[in-house]
């Protein structure tokens, strides 16, 4: 299948703004590049490639030669061989399924004939079209970076209404030690990305799509450009350099005195090229998911830097199939969180893949004012929203997400590295992937993908504007500051006690939330003459435990008293309280949200 990048397929336009005369980066006299969000065409094209899964134990599953022999026999049985159509074996996927390609594209009737013929063969477990997908998006103290364009352009990081509260998170984490795989169009040379790039891999197996000489998959993820000038193949458009932009959102170098900032600028990006001219095939994307997460792919060297999180700002208008779902499930089983864009069609995201797949974090797009971007897909499968930009609906430059780019209309070698604005759900997903990296970097024990999803939704900020209930956009807006607060490691130094938050008698602390194993420390100064003292939690969802210790911050193994029951209604009663400081620790026995903590002394 072909995957479309959110919002990048619009016509390239230059907007008058600041000159980008940044050290080491070419300037443009007319200002940054702006690429509008647009919904890629969902025109169904004739299908040439299919993915066939043979049953376990069959000769076809054991031998690609036998698989091709069967495919040729099925072609004869379908009646299409008589018209001169031939079939060849392209490759075997990591899942064990086989990609086959016909000598010419099949129309809808011919495709149905072939699928019926394969389904009738006793050795075949399933057959699905190898559809193409496209990128989905062209559409305490704080830490402010010294990158000169950041504060003026990157509202999506800083704005108090529509931003993700990045500076408050950067005090705690920059994502150091975490690898984020960006499955996209690949990467162009850019001085503000190079310090945080790993080598990556090019998984595109079709020479027309890749612009390389043959079907081989090769090390590196160089973006040759995805422009197309043949309307018979797909939409005519300029190169998007979409992967360069999404990778910049994840981990553009920061505090280096040039350009812009990245969400997790201490992390490393593993660029994986899966999209090229006219999109990218599902089979290549599925293998790339497997490889990026540390799985084995035939014919490709093992990935020595498996990713903790995968970002896929891509999609197609079809339901999630077993090939894509199987690859995602494998990645999640290996501990990799998979983040995807909801899509740019202003439609129910359940109609698109991978947005409709299980075990992914599906991200919708919001504007600077915190509301839904006009193009963003919506629906029950959307988990939360993040900045994607409102395009021309918002005052320039606040309608766009700003990041690294190339100013060529075709090959990157014909252009120069610049910074540009794009709008789309493709831009919102890497904000979430970056926050996942921030969290995993400091978590005492890495969160599982399921725990990460629960935590991000529990810590999301409420939408600051009224939302259309018929178009749900998830739990709220991505909140990097709150997400980091749930996984801060327990304090261990001499000043540990000073980090505890003071409780006031009979004054509830409301709306506490956190992930499983998250810890929050509080303290209460008990006066002389008290006859009773209680610490209690109540309300909300999830499961918390409460630990209390006199004079020191408790741990889950060292405490005076504890309340450890299922749910959030916990009470620790101290019948003969001493004068002095009691420390209270609230621990997430599971993810929780909306919990109230209260101290009551008499």
């Amino acid at each position: 299948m072909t995957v479309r990048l959110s919002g990048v397929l619009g016509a390239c336009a230059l907007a008058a703004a600041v000159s980008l005369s940044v050290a080491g980066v070419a300037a443009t006299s007319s200002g940054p590049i702006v690429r509008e969000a647009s919904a890629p065409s969902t025109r169904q094209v004739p299908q040439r490639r299919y993915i066939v899964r043979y049953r376990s134990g069959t000769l076809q599953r054991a031998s690609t030669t036998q698989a091709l022999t069967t495919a040729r026999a099925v072609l004869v049985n379908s009646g299409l061989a008589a018209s001169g159509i031939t079939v060849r074996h392209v490759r075997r996927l990591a899942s064990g399924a086989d990609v086959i390609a016909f000598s010419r594209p099949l129309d809808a009737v011919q495709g149905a004939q072939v699928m019926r013929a394969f389904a009738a063969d006793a050795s075949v477990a399933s057959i699905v079209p190898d559809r193409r997908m496209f990128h989905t998006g062209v559409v305490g103290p704080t830490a402010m970076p010294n990158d000169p364009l950041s504060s003026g352009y990157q509202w999506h990081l800083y704005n108090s209404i529509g931003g993700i509260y990045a500076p408050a998170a950067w005090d705690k984490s920059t994502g150091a030690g975490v690898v984020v795989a960006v499955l996209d169009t690949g990467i162009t040379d850019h001085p503000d990305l190079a310090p945080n790039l790993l080598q990556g891999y090019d998984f595109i197996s079709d020479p027309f799509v890749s612009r390389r000489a043959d079907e081989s998959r090769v090390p590196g993820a160089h973006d040759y450009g995805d422009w197309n000038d043949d309307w018979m193949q797909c939409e005519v458009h300029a190169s998007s350099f979409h992967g360069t932009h999404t990778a910049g959102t994840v981990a553009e170098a920061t505090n280096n005195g040039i350009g812009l900032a990245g969400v997790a600028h201490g992390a490393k990006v593993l660029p994986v090229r899966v999209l090229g001219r006219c999109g990218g095939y599902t089979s290549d994307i599925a293998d790339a998911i497997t490889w990026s997460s540390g799985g084995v792919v035939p014919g490709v060297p093992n990935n020595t830097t498996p990713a903790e999180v995968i970002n896929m700002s891509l999609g197609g208008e079809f339901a999630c199939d077993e090939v894509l779902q199987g690859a995602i499930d494998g990645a999640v089983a290996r501990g990799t969180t998979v983040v995807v864009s909801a899509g740019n069609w202003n439609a129910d995201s359940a109609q698109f893949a991978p947005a409709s797949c299980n075990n992914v974090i599906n991200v919708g797009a919001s504007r600077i004012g915190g509301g839904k971007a006009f193009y963003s897909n919506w629906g029950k499968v959307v988990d939360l929203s993040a900045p994607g930009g409102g395009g021309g609906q918002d005052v320039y430059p606040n309608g766009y997400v700003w990041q690294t780019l190339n100013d060529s209309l075709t090959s990157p070698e014909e252009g120069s590295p610049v910074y540009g604005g794009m709008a789309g759900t493709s831009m919102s997903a890497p904000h979430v992937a970056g926050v996942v990296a921030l969290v995993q970097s400091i978590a005492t024990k890495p969160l599982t993908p399921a725990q990460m999803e629960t935590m991000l939704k529990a810590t999301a900020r409420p939408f600051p504007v009224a939302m259309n209930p018929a178009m749900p956009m998830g739990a709220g807006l991505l909140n990097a500051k709150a997400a980091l607060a749930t996984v801060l490691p327990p304090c261990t130094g001499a000043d540990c006690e000073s980090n505890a938050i003071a409780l006031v008698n009979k004054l509830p602390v409301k709306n506490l939330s956190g992930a499983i194993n998250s810890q929050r420390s509080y303290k209460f100064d008990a006066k002389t003459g008290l006859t009773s003292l209680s610490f209690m939690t109540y309300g909300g969802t999830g499961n918390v435990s409460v630990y209390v210790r006199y004079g020191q911050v408790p741990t889950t193994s060292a405490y005076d008293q504890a309340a450890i029951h299922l749910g959030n209604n916990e009470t620790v009663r101290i019948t003969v309280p001493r004068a002095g400081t009691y420390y209270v620790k609230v621990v997430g026995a599971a993810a929780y949200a909306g919990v109230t903590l209260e101290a009551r002394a008499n």
Side-chain angles (χ1 to χ4, degrees):
M1 314 176 230
T2 319
V3 185
R4 302 178 177 266
L5 306 178
S6 308
V8 180
L9 294 181
C12 176
L14 294 178
V18 300
S19 174
L20 294 186
S21 52
V22 180
V25 181
T28 67
S29 60
S30 54
I33 293 174
V34 177
R35 289 178 179 161
E36 290 281 0
S38 64
S41 169
T42 57
R43 178 177 64 92
Q44 295 300 309
V45 298
Q47 190 69 38
R48 188 170 191 161
R49 295 172 31 146
Y50 291 81
I51 303 171
V52 181
R53 182 168 60 87
Y54 291 99
R55 298 186 187 279
S56 299
T58 61
L59 292 175
Q60 293 85 350
R61 188 68 178 266
S63 167
T64 56
T65 300
Q66 185 60 48
L68 178 57
T69 298
T70 299
R72 287 170 173 164
V74 170
L75 183 62
V76 172
N77 295 338
S78 69
L80 294 178
S83 60
I85 297 176
T86 60
V87 65
R88 66 184 181 89
H89 186 275
V90 177
R91 68 175 62 253
R92 178 153 286 181
L93 300 183
S95 63
D98 293 278
V99 180
I100 60 172
F102 294 98
S103 55
R104 63 173 183 260
L106 308 182
D107 60 26
V109 174
Q110 293 170 328
Q113 285 179 256
V114 162
M115 293 187 69
R116 284 195 299 269
F118 269 98
D121 191 291
S123 66
V124 174
S126 65
I127 177 172
V128 296
D130 191 8
R131 300 184 182 92
R132 289 197 221 175
M133 292 187 271
F134 302 82
H135 59 69
T136 53
V138 211
V139 248
T142 61
M144 291 293 290
N146 61 14
D147 308 83
L149 299 176
S150 186
S151 60
Y153 278 79
Q154 293 187 292
W155 62 270
H156 38 102
L157 302 182
Y158 312 119
N159 186 270
S160 61
I161 300 175
I164 67 169
Y165 295 5
W170 290 334
D171 268 359
K172 310 300 187 299
S173 174
T174 62
V178 176
V179 174
V180 183
V182 176
L183 276 58
D184 214 300
T185 63
I187 294 287
T188 60
D189 293 333
H190 200 294
D192 222 4
L193 268 180
N196 286 338
L197 288 182
L198 300 173
Q199 182 184 41
Y201 220 84
D202 188 335
F203 270 81
I204 301 177
S205 60
D206 185 322
F208 171 82
V209 175
S210 71
R211 286 195 157 92
R212 290 185 286 102
D214 54 37
E215 293 183 342
S216 61
R217 291 167 167 173
V218 298
H222 179 66
D223 186 350
Y224 292 84
D226 60 357
W227 83 93
N228 178 58
D229 53 11
D230 182 355
W231 66 269
M232 294 293 291
Q233 301 296 330
C234 64
E235 293 174 338
V236 173
H237 58 83
S239 284
S240 66
F241 304 114
H242 187 270
T244 298
H245 196 278
T246 56
T249 295
V250 172
E252 180 183 346
T254 303
N255 284 319
N256 60 350
I258 64 171
L260 301 164
V263 173
H265 45 266
K268 297 296 183 185
V269 167
L270 180 70
V272 185
R273 188 173 182 237
V274 296
L275 303 177
R277 177 165 45 178
C278 297
Y281 284 101
T282 299
S283 55
D284 292 336
I285 294 167
D287 270 358
I289 293 169
T290 299
W291 181 83
S292 299
S293 59
V296 176
V297 176
V300 178
N302 290 346
N303 178 13
T304 58
T305 54
E308 286 88 343
V309 54
I310 290 173
N311 185 82
M312 289 194 287
S313 292
L314 49 81
E317 190 176 9
F318 53 87
C320 185
D321 61 38
E322 64 173 44
V323 175
L324 202 54
Q325 186 66 66
I328 290 170
D329 290 346
V332 169
R334 287 183 282 274
T336 301
T337 299
V338 180
V339 180
V340 305
S341 56
N344 288 356
W345 291 266
N346 190 28
D348 191 337
S349 192
Q351 301 171 18
F352 300 84
S356 61
C357 294
N358 296 323
N359 297 324
V360 301
I361 299 177
N362 180 336
V363 187
S366 56
R367 303 164 56 184
I368 188 171
K372 175 186 176 297
F374 70 92
Y375 53 81
S376 180
N377 282 0
W378 40 266
K380 293 181 180 179
V381 298
V382 176
D383 293 304
L384 76 164
S385 293
Q393 285 192 323
D394 294 319
V395 176
Y396 180 89
N398 292 338
Y400 304 93
V401 169
W402 295 91
Q403 264 308 333
T404 44
L405 211 57
N406 186 287
D407 63 4
S408 172
L409 299 180
T410 54
S411 165
E413 286 71 30
E414 300 298 320
S416 302
V418 293
Y419 301 92
M422 290 184 178
T425 56
S426 281
M427 286 60 258
S428 55
H431 283 86
V432 173
V435 172
V436 171
L438 296 179
V439 170
Q440 297 291 44
S441 177
I442 64 167
T444 305
K445 181 180 179 182
L447 276 66
T448 67
Q451 291 168 347
M452 184 66 71
E453 178 182 339
T454 298
M455 182 275 293
L456 290 174
K457 291 194 288 188
T459 58
R461 294 189 291 119
F463 291 104
V465 297
M467 303 294 284
N468 183 348
M471 297 181 175
M473 292 289 290
L477 298 177
L478 176 67
N479 188 337
K481 177 183 177 181
L484 266 292
T486 68
V487 294
L488 290 178
C491 53
T492 56
D495 64 341
C496 180
E497 286 79 10
S498 66
N499 293 330
I501 299 171
L503 295 172
V504 177
N505 188 26
K506 299 180 182 178
L507 181 64
V509 179
K510 300 179 179 180
N511 293 320
L512 301 181
S513 62
I516 186 172
N517 297 323
S518 61
Q519 301 185 8
R520 292 173 175 265
S521 295
Y522 300 85
K523 62 183 178 181
F524 181 81
D525 291 325
K527 301 183 182 301
T528 302
L530 291 180
T531 58
S532 66
L533 175 60
S534 297
F535 301 100
M536 60 189 69
T537 57
Y538 51 89
T541 60
N543 187 8
V544 299
S545 298
V546 177
Y547 301 82
V548 178
R549 192 176 186 182
Y550 180 80
Q552 297 182 60
V553 173
T555 69
T556 55
S557 58
Y559 52 87
D560 295 335
Q561 292 177 249
I564 308 172
H565 305 98
L566 184 64
N568 294 328
N569 295 326
E570 306 283 12
T571 301
V572 173
R573 292 185 177 87
I574 300 168
T575 55
V576 185
R578 292 181 282 176
T581 303
Y582 286 85
Y583 290 91
V584 181
K585 180 166 284 185
V586 178
V587 176
Y592 65 96
V595 174
T596 298
L597 169 66
E598 185 176 355
R600 292 183 182 178
N602 294 299

